[in-house]
Amino acid sequence: MPAVYPPKYVRNILVTLQSRGHQAFLVGGCTRDMLMGRMPQDWDISTSALPEQVMEIFPNSEPTGLKHGTVTVKVNSHSAEVTTFRSEGSYSDHRHPDMVSFVGDLTTDLSRRDFTMNAIAFSPDGLMADPFNGVSDIEKHLIRAVGLPRLRFEEDALRMFRAVRFSARLDFDIEPETLEAIRLKAPLAVNIAPERIREEIEKTLLSPAPEKVFMLIELGLMDSFLTCRPALINDGGCLRKLPKKALNRWTCFCVLLESCGCIDSIEEFLLKLRLDKRSIKVCRSAARMLMEPDCPNTPVEWKRLLNKYGVDTVSCAAVCGDCLREGCYQKQLKAVLKSGECFSLKHLAVTGNDLAEIGLCGKELGEMLLFLLDYVMEFPQFNKRELLLSLAQGTEE
Ligand code: ATP
Ligand code: MG
């Protein structure tokens, strides 16, 4: 029996569908989570009602995935996805079904689902349907494909990434036959949109066992993004120590990949995975800082880095540096930032206009600003307008 129960609005949706003569069940991740005593992130309902019927019963609903039979039913600030029982046709692109058809029975709907733990249903009366023995697999902490694993991964190659991601999130093992099928079918990963792969990697990186991203590599699922599979897989233990922030974890992952020689360029790797431009910039620069043989040690060195890379990048590098090298970078950086000392032209006590007024212009003016900035990074007590102007005029005492 579940250890967590659905909220009232979800029960109301189920009961309303039932009272209109339709079958309705809680399905997918929420039943798995309920059985495991975890609060589900979202509530999925499967029903025999057709999408138009669902929309008629619940006027406050949106056809969010009509092609697949999904309607989002809204209740005040909450919502639940209601999907018509369906079966899927062939999968010629190894990712999407060529067609879906609505069917009348729950078991057919459950049989299209990826893993046994995700193919359990609860009726509004709390009765359970578990045709693939998902409960037993949950008890054994096992991720097992529904049906023949090879066929299921051939149909949709993304399921292989989902297996690793769930294994990292739930601390489950992948059942041996399912694991073997992943190894065999890993080359089909080339059929998946890189954005979807990136999402799965990121979810794995942000899970309680982020080091399992290396399982993706070891299984061959990331071959098209790497120059080689490393002979010695890093245990990725440091990833776990990082705060659960995507940028920190991507940066550390990239540094580990680069140091074991399986990517040539962090930028190229992240571009291929369609990471957004800002994140790529921060990861690439933070990783570059971390690759430097000399670590920043003095406030002036930190300020030069802050000036060159910006606060976000240096902060990311400091967090990763503490985990990768067991340093105390964050402490040093925090002290520098707290001191309020100048490390950018924005905080310099003179502006370009001030220098123009004393007769400087063009390249000379630009160079003087940089000289003064460098000077106050070294001697923060001299970040004073009059003093810097006299320095610029060459009339300082
Ligand atoms: P999460 O807690 O991450 O949302 P979830 O199991 O709910 O996990 P979803 O991606 O929300 O995962 O999908 C809901 C359900 O739909 C799954 O539990 C599974 O039954 C089914 N499903 C999702 N993606 C696939 C897929 N690629 N192949 C087969 N079934 C899938
Ligand atoms: Mg879900």
Side-chain angles (χ1 to χ4, degrees):
M1 271 302 101
V4 169
Y5 287 88
K8 200 163 167 208
Y9 81 94
V10 173
R11 291 201 302 271
N12 281 344
I13 298 175
L14 288 165
V15 171
T16 307
L17 283 163
Q18 208 179 30
S19 69
R20 296 293 202 95
H22 304 290
Q23 297 175 57
F25 297 89
L26 283 174
V27 286
C30 65
T31 47
R32 177 199 67 223
D33 289 345
M34 283 163 64
L35 285 162
M36 292 180 65
R38 302 160 65 107
M39 188 41 82
Q41 291 169 3
D42 40 42
W43 298 94
D44 290 325
I45 292 170
S46 253
T47 178
S48 56
L50 293 169
E52 311 82 80
Q53 295 173 313
V54 176
M55 291 182 65
E56 195 199 308
I57 298 172
F58 303 101
N60 197 8
S61 58
E62 268 179 33
T64 38
L66 223 41
K67 220 171 77 189
H68 300 110
T70 304
V71 169
T72 302
V73 174
K74 295 189 172 161
V75 184
N76 302 324
S77 58
H78 304 291
S79 65
E81 292 214 327
V82 181
T83 305
T84 306
F85 293 155
R86 65 174 208 237
S87 76
E88 296 171 348
S90 50
Y91 286 69
S92 31
D93 68 354
H94 303 293
R95 175 68 192 98
H96 307 98
D98 299 329
M99 57 168 284
V100 303
S101 37
F102 300 136
V103 294
D105 77 299
L106 172 71
T107 309
T108 308
D109 182 84
L110 294 178
S111 70
R112 71 165 171 91
R113 295 174 183 272
D114 47 6
F115 305 112
T116 58
M117 62 179 187
N118 291 342
I120 305 169
F122 278 117
S123 75
D125 328 302
L127 296 176
M128 187 168 66
D130 178 21
F132 305 103
N133 299 319
V135 173
S136 152
D137 283 334
I138 290 176
E139 279 164 5
K140 288 187 236 159
H141 288 195
L142 277 184
I143 295 166
R144 184 195 307 270
V146 171
L148 287 173
R150 291 181 193 189
L151 285 183
R152 303 310 311 285
F153 297 140
E154 240 169 56
E155 286 174 355
D156 179 358
L158 187 72
R159 292 171 187 155
M160 300 188 278
F161 286 83
R162 286 173 57 88
V164 175
R165 187 244 294 181
F166 283 124
S167 154
R169 157 122 66 94
L170 306 173
D171 193 20
F172 278 20
D173 287 328
I174 302 178
E175 172 277 325
E177 201 189 330
T178 302
L179 189 69
E180 211 34 56
I182 297 181
R183 228 179 267 289
L184 193 79
K185 296 295 171 189
L188 293 177
V190 294
N191 297 289
I192 310 168
E195 291 83 351
R196 295 291 291 114
I197 294 184
R198 186 203 59 232
E199 280 171 23
E200 292 299 326
I201 297 175
E202 189 161 302
K203 285 181 183 170
T204 308
L205 282 172
L206 292 174
S207 75
E211 65 279 2
K212 288 207 175 163
V213 283
F214 287 97
M215 194 169 167
L216 295 171
I217 296 176
E218 194 255 326
L219 288 167
L221 287 167
M222 287 184 61
D223 282 1
S224 57
F225 298 94
L226 306 174
T227 50
C228 64
R229 274 188 228 167
L232 205 74
I233 297 268
N234 187 293
D235 74 356
C238 52
L239 287 168
R240 229 183 232 239
K241 293 191 222 144
L242 290 167
K244 277 193 184 172
K245 287 196 181 140
L247 267 180
N248 292 155
R249 297 205 166 181
W250 275 110
T251 302
C252 190
F253 181 41
C254 287
V255 171
L256 294 173
L257 288 179
E258 190 157 72
S259 58
C260 60
C262 44
I263 52 174
D264 282 339
S265 138
I266 290 176
E267 181 163 17
E268 241 172 68
F269 171 67
L270 296 177
L271 268 173
K272 266 200 233 163
L273 283 169
R274 312 274 194 277
L275 207 74
D276 64 287
K277 287 213 168 79
R278 183 191 158 263
S279 302
I280 294 181
K281 200 171 157 212
V282 172
C283 283
R284 186 199 54 198
S285 308
R288 193 180 297 154
M289 277 179 56
L290 290 163
M291 303 281 187
E292 293 287 330
D294 297 323
C295 315
N297 219 351
T298 60
V300 64
E301 282 167 352
W302 280 105
K303 283 184 272 180
R304 290 207 170 105
L305 289 173
L306 284 165
N307 173 249
K308 187 166 169 194
Y309 296 112
V311 178
D312 287 354
T313 301
V314 179
S315 303
C316 177
V319 172
C320 296
D322 279 352
C323 291
L324 284 162
R325 295 179 174 173
E326 296 184 359
C328 52
Y329 302 119
Q330 288 178 86
K331 205 170 142 205
Q332 290 182 25
L333 176 63
K334 215 171 151 188
V336 170
L337 290 173
K338 206 172 157 205
S339 74
E341 289 172 7
C342 169
F343 57 81
S344 81
L345 287 177
K346 243 187 351 211
H347 303 122
L348 194 64
V350 292
T351 64
N353 284 343
D354 293 329
L355 295 186
E357 273 173 26
I358 60 167
L360 293 176
C361 61
K363 198 171 160 216
E364 202 185 7
L365 185 151
E367 280 172 0
M368 180 54 73
L369 276 174
L370 292 182
F371 167 77
L372 294 176
L373 176 60
D374 201 61
Y375 182 77
V376 302
M377 285 200 281
E378 184 119 24
F379 304 105
Q381 67 275 29
F382 296 146
N383 191 19
K384 300 200 166 65
R385 191 166 176 276
E386 292 311 317
L387 222 135
L388 295 181
L389 283 177
S390 61
L391 187 65
Q393 282 171 311
T395 59
E396 82 284 11
E397 303 277 299

